[in-house]
Amino acid sequence: MSFPTLQVRPNEKNPKVLRAHEFLRQANQLVERNLLNADGKKLLAKQLSKMVNEVKGIYALDEKRIEAGKSAKLLDKLKVVHEVSMTVMEDRFVTADLARKVLEKNSEVQRKLTEIENLRNSVQVTKAEVQREKEKREKRRNFTRKSTDELAAKSSTILKHLENSADVVKLRKMEEAKRVLEEEVEGLRKEKNRLGEQIKTNKATLKVESRKSFQKTIIECAKHYKLCQTLTPKLLKSQKNVETLKEEEEIRRASGSLDETILIPQIPDAVFDVPTGAECDDLNLLLNTTIEANNDDWKQRRFEFLVGETFLRTSLAEFIEEYEVETETVLKVECVIGIEAPKPLHDIQAPDWVSSVQIANNHIFSTTYGGDIVIVDRKGKETKLAVNSANRILKCSSIVKTPAKKSELDGTEILVGGENQLLTLYAIEKGVLAEKLILRGHERAVECVSVNSDATRAISGSVDTNLKVWNLDATDESTNFEKDENESATKKRKKDGRTKVPMVTIGGHRDAVTAVTWCPWKAGHAFSSSHDHTIVEWDLELGGFWEIL
């Protein structure tokens, strides 16, 4: 009977395998020595077969473990390969995306190059237009200079003719003669005063001098008296000539050929001792009294007094204290004729701040920040046509048309603008102020408006820095505004009112436009001012600025 064999792997460390191998070796020794009977051999063989099968199972399990380890390594390698493949695929996708972006960039660059080329062409065209515009302006300036020179030459010729005219020469001769006579009269008056003073002095001297001196004085006085008698006819003649000149001057003043002025007579050149408590009324009394003493025809007038460059409004003491004037200083006080402040004929009260005033047909049209259009007559009485324009702020106005009769209001048209970005044309018909036309186009509040002389065009300025030209011709419908069919009923205007859009929009100011007016000497031109510190002349036919002042 033979036992199963068992091959042990080198360097085997499994205790079950080692025990099985040792048990098999001992069993073979027992068989060789013939120490076992038949039953023992069968039992031992059965036990050895079981142990060999266990060892084979252990070996098979180890082989499976080895295979599993190899599979795990292979799986790891496959994972690594998969990750590398995914990375490569992502890189390919990124490369494709970059290639697509590069193509898009190339297309955009090509488009930009095309736009640049178009812009270059536009710039060249614009430069050509600017050059043509400069040439036009230069021609206009040359024409203007030539016209100005011609007008200046004509004006010089007219002035020369006027200077050489007989009336002017005669008037100048009369004025020169008047001046000479006034100087003679003034000299005679001074001589008379001197002689009077000398006579007074001589009279005082007679009391203390001897009789001989008195006789000499009498003789001297007689001489002076004779001289006075000789000078008196000349003085009377000079006064008569002065009166004649005054009459001629009055005749010229009545005919309007001479401007009426206030002639201040000569004030005696003397130093007056005035108390420091004197005020303007006291100085007025002193000055008028002094002038009346030398001029019987003088009428009381109110004077204003200047000390240096400052008008005297307080007493002299207060002035000296305020300006720290030395008390021993002689003050030189200059006087000028005081002009009475104008007094209002009517005080017209408005319901709110007044933003604009216009005059037409002996009536005053005004707009307010409360949205009122107030109309009053020359006597300051408000008419029944005053209305409130939908509680909106009105800032400007301009008269469009006026009726032929100055006393009537029917037919008067006024254009107003305000905070709601609109301009509204109102007309007075049958005693009612009715809305006729709406001008829509500004994006901010309308600050100013002006209508041309034939009432066919209007120009307006706004806080949006733009100027807009409007067509006021009722027969021209080229700028009519077509309303949207879905516009809400609350935004619709009256059925008989029309809406127009601007003919031209002109931009050039950098801040709000504050005033605008049509040029009276050049058709198609207008002026505007702005908060950007500029006044601009606009050529509305070319749609651009003509000159910045």
Side-chain angles (χ1 to χ4, degrees), residues 410-423:
D410 281 355
T412 304
E413 294 181 357
I414 181 171
L415 185 64
V416 299
E419 195 74 20
N420 64 346
Q421 308 170 11
L422 300 178
L423 288 158

Side-chain angles (χ1 to χ4, degrees), residues 348-351 354 356-368 371-388 394 397 399 401 406-416 426-429 431-434:
I348 303 171
Q349 297 294 328
V354 178
S356 68
V357 176
Q358 301 291 332
I359 306 296
N361 284 32
N362 294 329
H363 284 76
I364 303 169
F365 296 75
S366 63
T367 60
T368 70
D372 301 282
I373 302 176
V374 181
I375 306 173
V376 298
D377 58 15
R378 294 176 59 184
K379 297 181 180 180
K381 294 182 180 180
E382 185 174 342
T383 68
K384 295 181 180 180
L385 296 176
V387 298
N388 184 279
L394 297 180
S397 63
I399 299 297
K401 292 181 181 179
K406 293 185 177 180
S407 59
E408 292 184 358
L409 279 176
D410 281 355
T412 304
E413 294 181 357
I414 181 171
L415 185 64
V416 299
Y426 289 94
I428 301 176
E429 296 178 354
V432 178
L433 187 65

Side-chain angles (χ1 to χ4, degrees), residues 452-472:
N452 64 353
S453 57
D454 57 1
T456 58
R457 298 288 184 270
I459 184 170
S460 61
S462 169
V463 181
D464 61 11
T465 73
N466 291 327
L467 294 170
K468 293 185 183 291
V469 181
W470 310 89
N471 184 0
L472 300 182

Side-chain angles (χ1 to χ4, degrees), residues 212-281:
K212 186 177 181 180
S213 298
F214 177 75
Q215 292 176 353
K216 290 182 179 179
T217 304
I218 292 296
I219 294 171
E220 188 71 22
C221 288
K223 290 181 180 180
H224 287 302
Y225 179 75
K226 187 175 181 180
L227 179 62
C228 288
Q229 286 181 339
T230 305
L231 293 176
T232 299
K234 294 183 179 180
L235 179 61
L236 294 175
K237 185 177 180 181
S238 299
Q239 289 179 348
K240 186 179 292 185
N241 291 333
V242 169
E243 290 176 357
T244 303
L245 289 174
K246 284 183 178 180
E247 290 176 358
E248 292 178 356
E249 185 175 331
E250 290 294 334
I251 293 171
R252 293 203 307 274
R253 184 181 291 110
S255 62
S257 61
L258 183 66
D259 294 334
E260 184 176 358
T261 57
I262 299 174
L263 300 176
I264 303 177
Q266 183 68 30
I267 300 173
D269 188 9
V271 178
F272 294 95
D273 292 330
V274 180
T276 57
E279 297 183 352
C280 294
D281 293 339

Side-chain angles (χ1 to χ4, degrees), residues 500-512:
K500 285 190 174 185
V501 295
M503 300 173 62
V504 180
T505 297
I506 303 173
H509 284 295
R510 298 186 301 276
D511 208 335

